[in-house]
Amino acid sequence: DPERMDRCSDKNKRNKRPTQPSGRNRQNRNTVNPQKIVDTPLPEHPSVAIIGGGISGLTCAKSLSELGVHATVFDTGKHGVGGRLATRHLGESKGLSFDHACQYFTVSSPKFAGLVDEWVAGGAVATWEGELATYTEKQGISVQERNQKERYVGVGGMRSLCNHVAKASVGVDVVEDCWVSKMKLEQGKWRLWKSEEEMGSFDVVVIAHNGKCANRLLSPSGSPGAAQQMQRLKLSSIWALMVAFEKPLPVSFQGAFVEGISALSWAGNNSARLSNKEAPECWTLFSTGEYGRAHKCPQEAVPQSVRQAVTADMLAGLQQVVGQELPSTCLTRVQLWGAGLPLNSPGVDCIFDAQARLGICGDWLRGNSVQDACLSGIAMAEHIVKYSEKNGMDHSMSVGLHDPLRRLQGHDIGSFP
């Protein structure tokens, strides 16, 4: 969530130490602390802290609860959990709704299909039947044929799916608006702090987010293998433009993948997808990763000139796709996903350091889709339970600490397996 990223940067600024002299004595930002080893048995009922309330962390917590293990999720969001399943409500009456990250998801795994069936039955997600198109400079717009693969969206927005999972997970505590600034392994327990306030101690900790804030927690953690894997992760930078038009666009598609326009990789009609047919019509546009890299700047303080230039470029790209002048806009809001989607992956279900009792889950471990995120969270939960069944004393149960990361394939907005 860009809100969270901004807060991370602000937090780092507040905690910034005076510049140290250069030289061999200066600690490199990628330096990790030596391995810590817990040599005491896990209690009969272990507690798990999950740092990150995106769909992967929430699915992990839900799975742990169903397997009899208590979990506490810590999330930085002020307006609810969600991570990259993010929805914003803008305008004077907050009546303009935008899914400004994940647009939709698909299903190919039977295990994930069972989870999605639960969400559909609970009214949290629905199939999206809208027309999907592809634009190329040579062929223009071509509508994709409908196939057997269903597309799913959150009812009322993608964030509502994560809120549903959080509320429906019995035995899971969710702590919102909580920035875990430090964690430390002492006497076999992980102690967590929000600034100077201690948030509790836990038997196992799971990192369910990524980027520089995860690196800041992992580097001194005493799990060098996990820390170094996170440091190897590369993330895209993507600009998102939320725009409301006074009149509907003269197009039949509700979503379009765009090729050949640097400033635009996707255009999605939120009003149609969220069944909000009243004007103004709300669209989410995404740039390509190439454009994001070329126009990257500090996301916590994007200069107004950059905002204006990016907005103009992305609207020009959309006008090229539409093929005629766009209607007048009544709202534009641009923001940078500085740590967007994973570009490489170790191709594992989860990471776990059995010596330090620390795990990592997230889409990036398997790929870059909602399905990958959920399956990673489930795998993390199942591995923790198996580990606890051996009293936490089987140090051979470490996984994913040394697998090489390989480049991921897929669209700039993710993959849809």
Side-chain angles (χ1 to χ4, degrees):
D1 189 327
E3 269 181 13
R4 305 155 198 238
M5 296 180 207
D6 292 352
R7 295 175 67 199
C8 176
S9 301
D10 293 342
K11 187 76 175 179
N12 287 342
K13 284 182 177 180
R14 291 196 295 271
N15 293 337
K16 190 174 182 180
R17 296 179 180 180
T19 303
Q20 298 296 321
S22 61
R24 281 185 293 178
N25 291 330
R26 184 184 65 184
Q27 185 180 34
N28 187 284
R29 62 177 180 163
N30 291 329
T31 299
V32 298
N33 282 355
Q35 181 72 51
K36 289 188 176 181
I37 301 174
V38 181
D39 56 5
T40 56
L42 276 174
E44 183 178 355
H45 300 289
S47 58
V48 179
I50 300 174
I51 304 175
I55 193 63
S56 188
L58 291 170
T59 303
C60 181
K62 174 181 181 293
S63 299
L64 283 169
S65 177
E66 291 172 347
L67 293 169
V69 177
H70 180 264
T72 302
V73 177
F74 295 92
D75 189 70
T76 61
K78 289 184 176 181
H79 307 295
V81 293
R84 291 198 301 268
L85 269 67
T87 306
R88 296 191 75 171
H89 304 287
L90 303 176
E92 291 183 4
S93 61
K94 301 294 183 182
L96 305 179
S97 298
F98 301 86
D99 281 335
H100 63 296
C102 176
Q103 298 293 285
Y104 70 96
F105 63 90
T106 54
V107 180
S108 59
S109 158
K111 181 176 284 189
F112 184 50
L115 191 59
V116 174
D117 287 343
E118 291 181 18
W119 296 341
V120 171
V125 302
T127 56
W128 172 38
E129 303 291 342
E131 189 174 285
L132 190 62
T134 298
Y135 171 88
T136 64
E137 287 187 294
K138 288 185 177 180
Q139 298 181 340
I141 287 289
S142 57
V143 177
Q144 295 186 11
E145 293 184 8
R146 291 294 293 149
N147 53 32
Q148 300 303 312
K149 186 178 290 186
E150 297 283 3
R151 303 191 304 262
Y152 295 90
V153 296
V155 175
M158 297 302 289
R159 188 190 294 273
S160 64
L161 168 57
C162 284
N163 288 333
H164 169 83
V165 175
K167 293 175 182 176
S169 300
V170 179
V172 173
D173 293 327
V174 178
V175 183
E176 296 182 12
D177 193 15
C178 178
W179 189 264
V180 177
S181 59
K182 183 175 70 171
M183 63 183 195
K184 190 174 184 180
L185 181 59
E186 291 183 339
Q187 298 179 339
K189 290 276 192 177
W190 282 100
R191 298 173 63 194
L192 273 57
W193 284 267
K194 173 186 177 183
S195 188
E196 301 302 318
E197 178 186 0
E198 187 164 357
M199 302 305 295
S201 60
F202 303 86
D203 299 297
V204 179
V205 66
V206 174
I207 303 296
H209 64 114
N210 53 39
K212 61 186 178 182
C213 300
N215 287 329
R216 177 176 51 78
L217 288 175
L218 282 168
S219 293
S221 67
S223 177
Q228 288 165 351
Q229 286 291 69
M230 185 68 78
Q231 289 175 1
R232 295 181 183 111
L233 169 64
K234 296 179 180 180
L235 297 164
S236 65
S237 294
I238 301 288
W239 285 97
L241 175 63
M242 292 160 279
V243 54
F245 295 101
E246 292 181 356
K247 295 180 180 179
L249 294 188
V251 295
S252 62
F253 63 80
Q254 293 184 8
F257 292 98
V258 179
E259 299 176 10
I261 301 177
S262 178
L264 192 65
S265 70
W266 166 266
N269 185 338
N270 293 279
S271 297
R273 198 170 61 251
L274 302 179
S275 300
N276 182 8
K277 303 295 173 60
E278 297 181 4
E281 190 172 79
C282 299
W283 286 72
T284 295
L285 313 181
F286 290 113
S287 75
T288 64
E290 178 186 23
Y291 184 90
R293 289 192 302 273
H295 296 79
K296 191 171 183 179
C297 62
Q299 62 192 34
E300 67 275 9
V302 178
Q304 185 62 23
S305 60
V306 175
R307 292 183 184 275
Q308 292 173 347
V310 169
T311 298
D313 287 348
M314 296 181 76
L315 287 176
L318 180 61
Q319 182 163 302
Q320 183 176 336
V321 171
V322 173
Q324 57 182 279
E325 187 175 349
L326 299 175
S328 298
T329 63
C330 54
L331 179 142
T332 60
R333 181 73 60 84
V334 69
Q335 60 187 43
L336 176 64
W337 285 92
L341 288 173
L343 298 174
N344 56 350
S345 169
V348 298
D349 288 333
C350 61
I351 288 175
F352 189 68
D353 184 338
Q355 293 181 313
R357 295 178 180 168
L358 179 147
I360 302 175
C361 67
D363 63 337
W364 69 275
L365 296 172
R366 297 172 44 93
N368 51 14
S369 69
V370 174
Q371 176 172 279
D372 291 322
C374 291
L375 292 178
S376 178
I378 294 170
M380 183 78 269
E382 292 174 347
H383 194 78
I384 289 172
V385 170
K386 290 178 182 176
Y387 175 74
S388 68
E389 289 172 351
K390 296 188 177 182
N391 298 318
M393 299 301 290
D394 186 351
H395 291 170
S396 69
M397 292 189 69
S398 293
V399 293
L401 296 174
H402 306 292
D403 295 80
L405 275 68
R406 295 181 172 85
R407 184 173 179 80
L408 286 169
Q409 302 297 319
H411 194 270
D412 284 289
I413 68 166
S415 59
F416 303 90

